[in-house]
Amino acid sequence: SKIHTVENFLTEDECKAVEEAAKPTLHDATVADGSGGSHKSDSRKAKQAGIKVHWDKEADGDLIARLSRRVYDYVNHVLPFNIMEDGQEDLMSIQYFGRGPEEDQPDRYMPHCDGDCNGMLFKPGNRMATIVMYCEIPKVGGATNFRNSGIHIKPKQYAATFFSYIDPGTMKMDDEFTEHSGCPVVEGEKKIVTQWVRLGVDKENPWNSFNTLGIKHSDAENQ
């Protein structure tokens, strides 16, 4: 597993483009339910919106496509999988709002893993890395805490935190090393862009064609 921070990963213009694209569909954040779906949970309070990347506009300088390409270039710089954009999840705009120190249900995300974190073999089509990019940072709170690895990352505007939870040599997932939490936002706003990166997906086998066991839904129905 790896945990990196990268300063000046994205630009103010890219952040504005993401926020504008997110406005029409911003909704209460959900968590995965273990069966391929998702639901609201007290463990996560935030707003989110999926953002489709218009790859056909990349050559014309589309800001979101430019940012997304940088994400995959970085992933391929540190992991030996030659990850492509085809079949991946959408970029996700996530926004947390501070409501003061007296708030008993602050916006936050309790400790969780983005993919399997049980030390078992990787399941095809599932997540194996994450990159979190910080567009707006709160005045108080909002750090990313990896409690099992002893790493506490205070967000910095336009920086990114990358973490992978797979061993490329053994293809085993980590054993809760990258379990993390989004600490409560107390004052101000925290606006991030997240890409969950999957392995084993492509245009013909997109991320939502697999269940959490690494089996295609179509194959599972025929069993």
Side-chain angles (χ1 to χ4, degrees):
S1 300
K2 303 175 186 289
I3 302 173
H4 297 169
T5 58
V6 186
E7 293 193 5
N8 300 312
F9 188 86
L10 74 171
T11 68
E12 180 181 1
D13 286 346
E14 289 165 348
C15 284
K16 288 180 179 178
V18 168
E19 186 171 355
E20 192 64 29
K23 280 182 180 178
T25 57
L26 206 61
H27 60 278
D28 288 338
T30 57
V31 298
D33 61 12
S35 62
S38 61
H39 65 278
K40 294 181 184 178
S41 170
D42 289 341
S43 69
R44 186 183 189 197
K45 286 197 68 177
K47 298 289 185 180
Q48 69 179 27
I51 300 169
K52 291 195 176 298
V53 180
H54 295 286
W55 292 108
D56 57 320
K57 298 180 180 179
E58 182 179 14
D60 298 327
D62 181 83
L63 291 172
I64 294 175
R66 184 177 76 181
L67 172 60
S68 194
R69 177 62 62 202
R70 190 178 308 124
V71 166
Y72 293 113
D73 284 348
Y74 187 80
V75 172
N76 289 325
H77 173 67
V78 295
L79 293 174
F81 296 126
N82 192 29
I83 296 296
M84 304 295 287
E85 69 272 13
D86 296 328
Q88 297 285 344
E89 295 182 60
D90 292 342
L91 276 173
M92 190 66 72
S93 173
I94 307 173
Q95 302 180 16
Y96 300 82
F97 300 92
R99 293 182 291 277
E102 304 304 318
E103 173 63 42
D104 60 356
Q105 292 290 325
D107 282 10
R108 79 282 189 251
Y109 200 170
M110 301 293 281
H112 65 284
C113 297
D114 285 352
D116 284 341
C117 56
N118 51 16
M120 304 296 285
L121 285 171
F122 171 76
K123 300 184 181 81
N126 277 267
R127 295 173 178 174
M128 55 87 190
T130 300
I131 189 161
V132 177
M133 299 158 274
Y134 306 99
C135 283
E136 191 168 328
I137 59 174
K139 294 178 181 177
V140 181
T144 303
N145 182 263
F146 297 84
R147 62 180 183 180
N148 295 326
S149 54
I151 295 174
H152 187 80
I153 298 173
K154 186 176 180 180
K156 186 173 184 179
Q157 194 171 35
Y158 308 134
T161 296
F162 166 88
F163 51 101
S164 59
Y165 20 101
I166 189 172
D167 181 335
T170 64
M171 294 303 288
K172 288 184 177 180
M173 306 301 285
D174 74 28
D175 191 6
E176 298 188 346
F177 180 79
T178 55
E179 181 195 67
H180 59 286
S181 58
C183 297
V185 173
V186 180
E187 293 182 16
E189 299 179 1
K190 174 184 174 182
K191 296 181 179 180
I192 61 176
V193 186
T194 296
Q195 180 70 62
W196 294 290
V197 184
R198 294 181 178 244
L199 180 61
V201 299
D202 54 33
K203 190 172 293 185
E204 288 73 35
N205 303 281
W207 71 272
N208 54 2
S209 66
F210 292 88
N211 65 22
T212 53
L213 299 176
I215 301 172
K216 294 199 68 177
H217 292 298
S218 56
D219 294 336
E221 291 170 0
N222 293 328
Q223 290 181 357

